[in-house]
């Protein structure tokens, strides 16, 4: 096991993708400030082929297509633009989707014939002084053609939210700690983790109260935009595509620590007392490192079984974790607590590499050809050579979705 290369990017890395397992990597990061987005095409040795900068919103957004075109969302004088960057770094196709004043792209997914976009109110950083006089638009989800024509637009009504673990105290409670009464969020954004997933003819779009961390996932019909169902308000957590039209929705915080499976009809079909960065293999088996807000760590690598029980894998130290990848033999690889770890199909743990590193901004693990594993740590990308096989196939995030960073299961 070796660290074959490590290289620094202009700012904090937000996404790493590859059109092919042999590379090169396309890295999306911040620039000198949060209002600059930088795209870098770099090979696995760290040699930069090209680099481009764009205006930013503080939320860098990019998706890589199967033909190697990187789509970048950024603001310009005419609104919000989706622009394709060709593999050689030149400008490719672009589209300007219809939008409302003071909206920005919260998340988007590339479809074979267009885009799905979650729209949210532009951040105060972007709106500036206009935030005092402009009404804040409600969030919505919309589908577009590649030319920017809107096929449908569905408003999202988060409504009043509450959760049993959220408490409040003030003169209205007699200065006693009491469960907080339902409240209407002042600001709604897309969820931090996996805010927009598309699987077959279903969409899972997650929105949250940006101040309280309580949110809901809305399940929509891809063809019509009809809202099929929505989860109850709960603390946000990790999510995953579990199969055609199926999704895993996690919840963590305020006493919640669970994952639920939802089917095509938007109904919950299973639940587990665990939450984390889960993988779903080609057989529908769910496993991954738990992510519990507790130190010292009580988390383990877990397998979630069809009968709603948990199978214990190795105990895990620390907390901050990359999203894992799985090879074709069922071995899962991920970065946690300064270590590159592997858990094999028999749930035996192996430490592949370790260094003194306590950084908390960690991207996903990409399993590339010849056992290469790329992990982003803050403003660096580390590439390892490990005894692993090719990337496994499966709904999440195995196969092409893992490499390209586009959460779509056609």
């Amino acid at each position: 096991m070796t660290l074959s290369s490590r290289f620094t990017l202009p700012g904090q890395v937000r996404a790493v993708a590859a059109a092919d397992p042999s590379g090169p990597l396309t890295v999306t990061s911040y620039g000198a400030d949060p209002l600059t987005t930088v795209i870098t095409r770099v090979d696995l040795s760290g040699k930069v082929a090209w680099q481009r900068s764009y205006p930013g919103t503080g939320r860098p957004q990019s998706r890589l297509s199967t033909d190697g075109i990187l789509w970048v969302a950024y603001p310009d004088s005419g609104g919000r633009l989706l622009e394709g960057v060709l593999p050689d770094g030149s400008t490719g196709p672009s589209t300007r989707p219809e939008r409302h004043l003071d909206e920005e792209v919260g998340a988007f997914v590339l479809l074979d014939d267009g885009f799905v976009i979650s729209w949210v109110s532009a951040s105060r950083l972007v709106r500036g002084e206009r935030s005092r006089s402009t009404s804040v638009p409600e969030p919505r989800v919309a589908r577009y053609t590649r030319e920017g024509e809107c096929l449908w637009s569905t408003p999202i009504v988060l409504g009043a939210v509450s959760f049993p673990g959220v408490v409040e105290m003030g003169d209205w409670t007699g200065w006693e700690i009491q469960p907080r009464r339902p409240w209407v969020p002042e600001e709604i954004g897309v969820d931090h983790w996996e805010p927009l997933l598309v699987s077959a003819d279903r969409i899972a779009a997650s929105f949250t109260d940006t101040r309280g961390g309580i949110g809901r996932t809305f399940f929509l019909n891809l063809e019509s935009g009809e809202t099929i169902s929505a989860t109850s308000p709960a603390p946000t957590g990790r999510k995953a595509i579990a199969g055609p039209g199926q999704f895993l929705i996690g919840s963590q915080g305020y006493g919640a620590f669970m994952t639920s499976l939802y089917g095509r009809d938007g109904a919950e079909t299973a639940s587990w007392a665990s939450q984390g960065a889960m993988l779903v293999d080609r057989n529908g088996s769910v496993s991954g490192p738990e992510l519990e807000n507790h130190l010292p760590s009580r988390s383990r690598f877990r397998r979630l079984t069809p009968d709603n029980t948990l199978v214990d894998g190795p105990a895990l130290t620390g907390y901050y974790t990359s999203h894992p990848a799985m090879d074709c033999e069922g071995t899962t690889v991920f970065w946690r607590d300064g270590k590159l770890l592997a858990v094999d199909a028999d749930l035996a743990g192996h430490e592949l590499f370790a260094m003194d590193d306590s950084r908390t901004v960690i991207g996903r693990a990409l399993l590339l050809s010849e056992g290469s594993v790329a992990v982003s740590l803050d403003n660096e990308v580390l590439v390892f050579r490990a005894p692993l096989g090719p990337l496994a196939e499966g709904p999440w995030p195995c196969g092409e979705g893992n490499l390209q960073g586009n959460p779509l299961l056609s």
Side-chain angles (χ1 to χ4, degrees):
M1 174 68 213
T2 60
L3 173 60
S4 58
S5 66
R6 61 187 300 179
F7 42 91
T8 302
L9 281 301
Q12 190 182 98
V13 175
R14 306 300 295 174
V16 182
D20 185 87
S22 62
L25 303 176
T26 304
V27 183
T28 304
S29 67
Y30 289 120
D33 62 74
L35 292 182
T36 302
T37 295
V38 179
I39 307 298
T40 305
R41 182 65 59 91
V42 58
D43 68 18
L44 299 185
S45 70
K47 182 180 179 181
V48 174
W50 51 262
Q51 192 169 83
R52 293 187 59 174
S53 296
Y54 296 85
T57 64
R59 302 169 179 169
Q61 298 282 335
S62 66
R63 299 294 185 195
L64 189 62
S65 68
T66 54
D67 54 8
I69 298 176
L70 184 80
W71 287 86
V72 184
Y74 68 93
D76 70 355
S77 58
R80 299 294 183 264
L81 191 70
L82 291 177
E83 181 175 286
V85 186
L86 300 178
D88 64 1
S90 60
T91 299
S94 65
T95 186
R96 192 182 303 280
E98 301 171 10
R99 69 176 189 100
H100 301 154
L101 183 65
D102 280 336
E103 280 186 325
E104 70 180 26
V105 177
F108 76 100
V109 172
L110 295 177
L111 305 177
D112 295 337
D113 57 357
F115 311 91
V116 173
I117 300 178
S118 289
W119 293 98
V120 294
S121 173
S123 67
R124 290 188 175 93
L125 188 65
V126 174
R127 296 202 312 264
E129 291 300 316
R130 290 184 297 130
S131 64
R132 298 175 180 174
S133 58
T134 304
S135 61
V136 177
E138 292 296 316
R140 64 189 178 101
V141 180
R143 181 176 177 178
Y144 299 86
T145 66
R146 283 293 170 95
E147 293 71 36
E149 177 189 357
C150 185
L151 300 178
W152 53 256
S153 178
T154 300
I156 296 297
V157 180
L158 197 63
V161 297
S162 64
F163 192 74
V166 182
V167 298
E168 62 182 350
M169 182 178 69
D171 55 4
W172 62 93
T173 69
W175 299 104
E176 294 183 354
I177 297 176
Q178 295 182 1
R180 186 177 179 182
R181 295 165 294 183
W183 71 96
V184 176
E186 295 182 15
E187 185 177 19
I188 299 171
V190 295
D191 205 348
H192 183 68
W193 301 109
E194 300 89 30
L196 188 63
L197 303 172
V198 180
S199 177
D201 60 348
R202 294 292 183 262
I203 299 170
S206 301
F207 295 85
T208 185
D209 173 5
T210 57
R211 295 184 179 181
I214 304 298
R216 305 175 73 187
T217 296
F218 296 79
F219 302 107
L220 280 66
N221 184 305
L222 176 64
E223 299 303 320
S224 66
E226 174 191 3
T227 300
I228 297 167
S229 71
T231 62
S232 299
T236 61
R238 298 297 185 99
K239 291 164 284 294
I241 294 172
Q246 299 177 305
F247 303 93
L248 291 173
I249 307 296
S251 180
Q252 175 181 242
Y254 299 111
F257 189 65
M258 66 177 299
T259 297
S260 296
L261 174 65
Y262 291 84
R264 284 190 71 256
D265 59 357
E268 180 182 307
T269 60
S271 64
W272 298 268
S274 179
Q275 195 274 159
M278 296 299 166
L279 293 165
V280 183
D281 69 16
R282 65 188 305 171
N283 299 316
S285 177
V286 180
S287 62
E290 289 183 317
L291 301 174
E292 184 181 15
N293 286 333
H294 187 278
L295 288 174
S297 173
R298 301 180 298 198
S299 296
R300 310 185 72 93
F301 190 94
R302 301 277 194 182
R303 182 171 290 155
L304 281 53
T305 67
D307 63 358
N308 297 347
T309 60
L310 305 174
V311 178
D312 290 350
L316 302 172
T317 60
Y319 172 77
Y320 296 99
T321 309
S322 73
H323 202 100
M326 180 184 289
D327 77 358
C328 59
E329 300 298 324
T331 296
T332 300
V333 60
F334 56 99
W335 181 270
R336 182 172 175 132
D337 198 23
K339 306 177 184 69
L340 187 68
L341 303 176
V343 178
D344 63 29
D346 296 322
L347 296 183
H350 309 272
E351 182 179 302
L352 303 180
F353 184 88
M355 67 183 193
D356 185 12
D357 194 300
S358 59
R359 284 178 284 189
T360 60
V361 180
I362 303 172
R364 62 198 183 103
L366 269 70
L367 179 56
L368 305 166
S369 59
E370 299 179 353
S372 292
V373 180
V375 178
S376 61
L377 303 178
D378 197 2
N379 66 335
E380 272 194 308
V381 173
L382 280 62
V383 180
F384 302 90
R385 184 63 61 84
L388 297 166
L391 186 68
E393 296 180 359
W396 182 265
C398 308
E400 292 179 346
N402 178 268
L403 291 180
Q404 293 156 14
N406 186 42
L408 167 71
L409 180 66
S410 298

